[in-house]
Amino acid sequence: MLDQQKDAIQNLIVRALSALDVADVVPQLEKPKDPTHGDVACTVAMQLARRLKKNPRAIAETLVAEMRADEAFAALLETVEIAGPGFINFRVAQNARAAIVSQVLQAGEKFGRSNEFAGKSVLLEYVSANPTGPLHLGHARQGALGDVLANLLDSQGWKVSREFYYNDAGVQIGNLAMSVQVRCRQLQGESLELPENAYHGEYIVSIARDFLDKKPVIPHGGEPIESTGDYGDTDLVRRYSVAYLRNEQDDDLSALGVRFDNFFLESSLYTTGAVQKTVQAIIDAGYTYEADNALWLRTTAFEDLGNGLRDDKDRVMKKSDGTYTYFVPDVAYHLNKFSRGYTKAVNIQGTDHHGTIARVRAGLQAASKTLGVTIPKTFPEYILHKMLSVVKGGEVVKMSKRSGNYVTLRDLVDWAGRDAARFFLVSRKADAEFVFDVDLAKKNSDENPVYYLQYAHARICSVFAQTQEKGIGVPSVEEMASEDLSPLTAPTELRLMSKLSDFPTALANGTEDLSPLALVTYLKELAADFHSFYNAERVLVDDEKLRNARLALLVATRQVLRNGLEILGVSAPERLSRADQPADSTK
């Protein structure tokens, strides 16, 4: 239902409430679970029962009588009925319902978009992998979630910045360089084994071979890193290997259709002194103490770190060997985010980062006391996702040769394709585990939800291809926007128009929930309503008025499908294998 229609119904109820001397109640509307009950329902009669000391049905009867007498009723509503203990169910008039088609056609690719959050900025951080190997399935899920969520937020007016945080400092980078050096020595004929803490997988051999062959690595957007072939130069091997793997990760993310606006290096937090400044700010604020030759952060001093979160014990910041624990640079990084003007930041990470939330927020709150800034307790926000497993050929796939011990993001894209990979990765709640069935993702049948959506789009395109083949004139989109849609009275037509009007709400809900699930669910329902209409009604009928009305409905449906699929980053093909079946030729 269109927002203006909801507003009109609310205003109708407000005017009716005046007959009961009620002027301070804003009636809330909700969509009935059973569509046969109407388009929208209101429980205001039951809410007022105690206050007015009347039976809710009696209150509802008074309100309904007042609304029916209102001059706006006839043009807005077809029926208004009382159900159960006092529910008031409304069914929108056909002309008002059909207005959605004109609105979609006029707005085109902008339909569903909103400027509600215009002027507000948000920083999304996702993937943020160590440049020590191929991206795994967790990174794939983060990439899809982050990219689609960025599109959703953008659709509601947010200015979105997509950021990748490279963990290019620490022990793991040293282990990467060592692993490549060992492989270089093996390739040179030395007989030695990889240490237990080394990285395995064919990708290490590829790096070593290219390094020995003196092949330069050209980082995306950076200066080439030349190789001398001297694997004894640990610093060169480290820089070469990190750049090599960054390029591979960028290529893999590109294959999934994931992009970023900015890349932030963890190492820069050390070279600029940001980590030390952060630690000093926390010390100066009085939230640290020394014990067991280590520096501790008193995280337990903060009773509420957002939504009642608190840490159950204090945490080590600086170990006895002088190195910082992993969350300390994270605090410095998020101070940097806040200093760049982002008061809203969202991190998409695996559930293994759950313990990080309290530590980072405690560090930020402590440092803010010295720095003289006010940081929201819930800064940053976190979306924690669970891992997924992959089934292929009826069996769980556990590893790939490229990585050595896990299925990679690139494996998933190569097996299922970009469209299916993206759709399946966002089709569950982030905190839900699920099995990615590669065979299902490749099926050309209604069982595959991606195919089901794309087939709906292709079916619509096939109708217009048939109009050309049959020499049937089709009104322009501008003409369709003013088309008389009164012939659209079939139940399937009414349901489809009603579903079109729900698209803006699906986008708004997805943005509010920070989840693509509302959009995924909506598109599957829209496709189902379209297929029901298509299977029940002929489009290319002899009656020109009815035919043009149905063509306008199809164009609007195609536009909404395109708009939704674009936010998901899934293609909207004009032709699929089943789109040419003879059964469609009569449409």
Side-chain angles (χ1 to χ4, degrees), residues 362-563:
L364 290 170
Q365 292 301 312
S368 69
K369 309 297 183 184
T370 303
L371 299 175
V373 294
T374 302
I375 300 177
K377 292 179 180 179
T378 55
F379 183 92
E381 298 175 50
Y382 287 82
I383 297 174
L384 300 182
H385 70 86
K386 291 186 178 179
M387 286 295 291
L388 64 146
S389 57
V390 175
V391 170
K392 186 171 182 280
E395 297 183 357
V396 177
V397 185
K398 295 184 178 180
M399 68 177 64
S400 71
K401 185 177 181 182
R402 183 181 176 219
S403 69
N405 58 4
Y406 57 85
V407 178
T408 68
L409 178 157
R410 193 55 174 261
D411 292 330
L412 194 65
V413 176
D414 288 346
W415 293 336
R418 176 191 292 187
D419 286 344
R422 288 181 66 98
F423 186 91
F424 277 57
L425 287 168
V426 300
S427 63
R428 300 287 189 280
K429 288 184 178 180
D431 60 357
E433 294 180 353
F434 77 97
V435 176
F436 192 113
D437 189 333
V438 173
D439 299 317
L440 174 62
K442 296 174 69 175
K443 271 190 176 181
N444 289 346
S445 75
D446 294 349
E447 298 175 69
N448 178 359
V450 184
Y451 186 89
Y452 191 61
L453 293 178
Q454 292 179 324
Y455 184 44
H457 184 271
R459 260 185 157 179
I460 296 173
C461 292
S462 74
V463 172
F464 288 93
Q466 290 167 39
T467 62
Q468 285 189 324
E469 294 172 2
K470 296 181 178 182
I472 298 174
V474 177
S476 67
V477 174
E478 292 75 14
E479 291 170 335
M480 286 183 180
S482 57
E483 193 72 42
D484 177 13
L485 302 181
S486 60
L488 301 179
T489 58
T492 56
E493 294 167 336
L494 298 178
R495 281 198 298 271
L496 184 53
M497 288 188 287
S498 179
K499 183 57 65 177
L500 291 176
S501 67
D502 292 338
F503 182 59
T505 301
L507 297 185
N509 289 344
T511 301
E512 182 179 358
D513 297 340
L514 292 178
S515 170
L517 188 58
L519 174 59
V520 170
T521 302
Y522 168 81
L523 288 175
K524 289 193 289 188
E525 291 174 352
L526 175 63
D529 286 341
F530 162 73
H531 287 305
S532 294
F533 156 77
Y534 189 87
N535 293 330
E537 311 295 338
R538 287 188 62 208
V539 178
L540 303 184
V541 294
D542 294 333
D543 185 333
E544 184 178 7
K545 189 174 181 180
L546 176 59
R547 182 178 68 231
N548 287 343
R550 287 177 174 170
L551 287 173
L553 177 58
L554 287 190
V555 173
T557 303
R558 180 174 62 182
Q559 184 66 63
V560 174
L561 281 169
R562 283 178 179 172
N563 291 0

Side-chain angles (χ1 to χ4, degrees), residues 22-170:
V22 175
D24 59 346
V25 173
V26 178
Q28 299 301 312
L29 303 180
E30 58 188 41
K31 192 167 186 176
K33 293 182 180 179
D34 185 346
T36 62
H37 292 168
D39 297 307
V40 71
C42 183
T43 60
V44 69
M46 291 180 288
Q47 294 167 4
L48 290 173
R50 178 176 295 182
R51 171 176 168 178
L52 299 179
K53 298 180 181 179
K54 291 184 178 181
N55 183 290
R57 280 193 69 93
I59 296 173
E61 288 170 359
T62 300
L63 292 176
V64 168
E66 290 293 326
M67 285 186 282
R68 283 178 174 155
D70 194 303
E71 61 181 12
F73 180 91
L76 177 64
L77 297 170
E78 180 180 308
T79 62
V80 56
E81 298 173 344
I82 302 171
F87 291 99
I88 304 177
N89 295 329
F90 302 89
R91 189 174 299 281
V92 178
Q94 197 277 342
N95 286 341
R97 190 193 307 274
I100 184 62
V101 174
S102 177
Q103 184 171 334
V104 173
L105 297 177
Q106 290 175 0
E109 62 185 18
K110 294 181 180 180
F111 178 72
R113 303 184 72 86
S114 166
N115 291 319
E116 181 179 354
F117 298 98
K120 294 187 177 183
S121 299
V122 57
L123 179 62
L124 288 185
E125 180 206 336
Y126 48 100
V127 183
S128 295
N130 298 331
T132 54
L135 299 175
H136 55 59
L137 293 178
H139 298 134
R141 195 169 190 185
Q142 289 178 35
L145 282 169
D147 196 68
V148 176
L149 182 55
N151 292 340
L152 267 172
L153 289 165
D154 177 74
S155 78
Q156 301 303 294
W158 284 94
K159 182 179 179 182
V160 184
S161 182
R162 310 159 186 241
E163 189 154 287
F164 190 120
Y165 177 68
Y166 271 115
N167 303 96
D168 65 335

